[in-house]
């Protein structure tokens, strides 16, 4: 009787050990993560591919009410260091406005990037001049993004450039610069992320007319949720399940606008905002999406 009890115990132990072993060593689908950092009013998204390639899309910025606060050295560089990034594989500057490029000099100085891409429209921003001096000084590979280009990363991660096109838009004001933003669509297996930068309605309509396959599970909402972006036609094409708004608390622009939020709600998108949620981290195995936030 005692012998039977002992062998039963051994059997249970063996099963438990086997289960632990299987849990620890069973091959899992590698995970891609996208972190939308809280950089106050501005954009900054960090992508880590399953194989460890790193991409930074914008680096936040000084903004108009920053009083010299450098979000690049205060937030973005410490974050990248915590992530163990020695050098970025790709840094994207979507356009030359301070709330996107302001933190980039600190990032290029402290972390560096193997390749930098931008819209080719540098405007007259002093911050942008600093970026270019760094690109030249460090002899970084630099490319101008244009619709139709594809960046293929290992593990089947693919980034398509959707905007700007090469029609040579006349840049006359801030709205033109926004419409000339680098817009990217990243896909990993069946998961897709659309980074709309500050593209406004005109660029959105152009992409809907010209680009196929805009549908994306995650949309980084254009232009911080302003009323002149995220049009109905755009949302019908993208059909996001998750919308991330990168925006500063009590910003002077009134972002995000109530009608834009309503349009997203009407489309059934779950909204995350960096001003309320802090950093928004989305991980995916290429099928399922998991969202975590630092504040709630
Ligand atoms: Zn912006």
């Amino acid at each position: 009787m005692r012998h039977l009890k002992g062998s039963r115990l051994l059997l249970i132990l063996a099963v438990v050990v086997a289960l632990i072993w299987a849990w620890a060593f069973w091959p899992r689908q590698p995970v891609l993560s996208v972190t939308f950092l809280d950089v106050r009013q501005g954009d900054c998204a960090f992508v880590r591919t399953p194989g460890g390639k790193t991409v930074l899309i914008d680096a936040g910025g000084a903004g108009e009410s920053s009083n010299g606060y450098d979000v690049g050295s205060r937030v973005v560089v410490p974050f990248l260091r915590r992530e163990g990034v020695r050098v970025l594989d790709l840094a994207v500057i979507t356009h030359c406005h301070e709330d996107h490029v302001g933190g980039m000099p600190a990032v290029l100085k402290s972390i560096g990037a193997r390749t930098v891409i931008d819209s080719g429209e540098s405007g007259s921003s002093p911050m942008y001049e600093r970026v270019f001096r760094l690109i030249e000084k460090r002899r970084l590979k630099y490319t101008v993004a244009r619709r139709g280009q594809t960046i293929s990363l290992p593990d089947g991660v693919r980034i398509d450039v959707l905007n700007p096109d090469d029609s040579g838009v006349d840049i006359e004001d801030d709205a033109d610069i926004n419409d000339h933003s680098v817009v990217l669509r990243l896909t990993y297996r069946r998961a897709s992320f659309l980074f709309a930068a500050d593209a406004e309605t005109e660029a959105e309509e152009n992409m809907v007319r010209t680009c196929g396959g805009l549908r994306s599970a995650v949309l980084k909402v254009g232009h911080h949720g302003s009323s002149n972006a995220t049009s109905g036609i755009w949302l019908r094409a993208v059909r996001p399940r998750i919308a991330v708004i990168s925006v500063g608390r009590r910003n002077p622009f009134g972002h995000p606008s109530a009608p834009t939020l309503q349009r997203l709600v009407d489309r059934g998108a779950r909204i995350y905002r960096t001003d309320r949620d802090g950093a928004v981290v989305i991980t995916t195995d290429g099928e399922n999406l998991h969202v975590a936030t630092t504040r709630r």
Side-chain angles (χ1 to χ4, degrees):
M1 192 68 180
R2 194 174 290 163
H3 175 73
L4 197 67
K5 260 189 185 170
S7 56
R8 212 178 260 177
L9 204 67
L10 267 178
L11 184 69
I12 291 168
L13 204 66
V15 169
V16 169
V17 168
L19 283 173
I20 291 172
W21 186 88
W23 179 81
F25 297 106
W26 200 266
R28 292 187 178 88
Q29 190 61 46
V31 166
L32 173 133
S33 71
V34 179
T35 304
F36 298 90
L37 279 80
D38 176 12
V39 287
R40 303 185 180 181
Q41 181 69 9
D43 268 18
C44 182
F46 172 71
V47 180
R48 185 189 289 281
T49 71
K53 295 285 178 196
T54 54
V55 180
L56 189 74
I57 305 171
D58 289 329
E64 268 151 55
S65 55
S66 65
N67 300 320
Y69 177 82
D70 181 356
V71 79
S73 56
R74 301 285 288 275
V75 176
V76 187
V77 169
F79 167 82
L80 293 172
R81 289 224 166 101
R82 278 199 304 279
E83 287 285 314
V85 178
R86 288 217 210 125
V87 58
L88 289 160
D89 291 291
L90 176 64
V92 182
I93 303 166
T94 63
H95 62 299
C96 61
H97 286 156
E98 292 278 318
D99 56 326
H100 298 252
V101 73
M104 203 52 96
V107 170
L108 293 183
K109 231 184 212 170
S110 305
I111 306 285
R114 292 186 211 285
T115 303
V116 179
I117 69 170
D118 77 353
S119 66
E121 175 50 53
S122 59
S124 55
S125 154
M127 202 56 89
Y128 221 86
E129 285 166 18
R130 282 184 63 194
V131 166
F132 265 89
R133 278 202 299 276
L134 280 165
I135 290 172
E136 280 172 10
K137 197 171 154 197
R138 311 222 162 171
R139 295 185 180 165
L140 306 180
K141 193 176 161 212
Y142 165 75
T143 309
V144 173
R146 283 294 176 264
R147 178 176 300 163
Q149 292 169 351
T150 295
I151 301 157
S152 292
L153 298 168
D155 322 303
V157 178
R158 174 187 160 125
I159 300 174
D160 289 300
V161 179
L162 305 180
N163 200 63
D165 63 13
D166 50 10
S167 61
V169 185
D170 285 333
I171 306 288
E172 285 173 2
D173 55 23
D174 276 352
D176 291 336
I177 291 174
N178 287 344
D179 278 334
H180 208 64
S181 294
V182 178
V183 177
L184 303 171
R185 183 171 181 270
L186 180 149
T187 47
Y188 170 50
R189 301 181 68 228
R190 287 159 60 91
S192 46
F193 296 74
L194 207 161
F195 300 91
D198 276 5
E200 298 186 13
T201 312
E202 201 178 314
E204 288 174 354
E205 287 175 357
N206 185 307
M207 284 184 273
V208 170
R209 265 198 318 274
T210 321
C211 308
L214 293 175
R215 191 172 172 181
S216 304
V218 180
L219 171 66
K220 197 299 292 178
V221 174
H223 198 205
H224 320 285
S226 87
S227 58
N228 46 13
T230 321
S231 54
I233 185 175
W234 177 245
L235 286 179
R236 274 195 295 282
V238 179
R239 299 166 69 185
R241 297 207 311 271
I242 293 168
V244 180
I245 303 177
S246 198
V247 69
R249 199 182 295 180
R250 289 190 289 278
N251 66 79
F253 314 103
H255 297 158
S257 88
T260 298
L261 291 172
Q262 193 57 50
R263 283 197 293 279
L264 287 163
V265 169
D266 291 345
R267 290 296 324 176
R270 226 178 334 137
I271 299 171
Y272 293 89
R273 302 167 48 160
T274 56
D275 59 340
R276 292 184 180 171
D277 299 313
V280 180
V281 188
I282 303 179
T283 47
T284 179
D285 58 2
E287 292 282 340
N288 306 299
L289 294 160
H290 178 260
V291 186
T293 61
T294 53
R295 227 175 268 148
R296 64 172 183 182

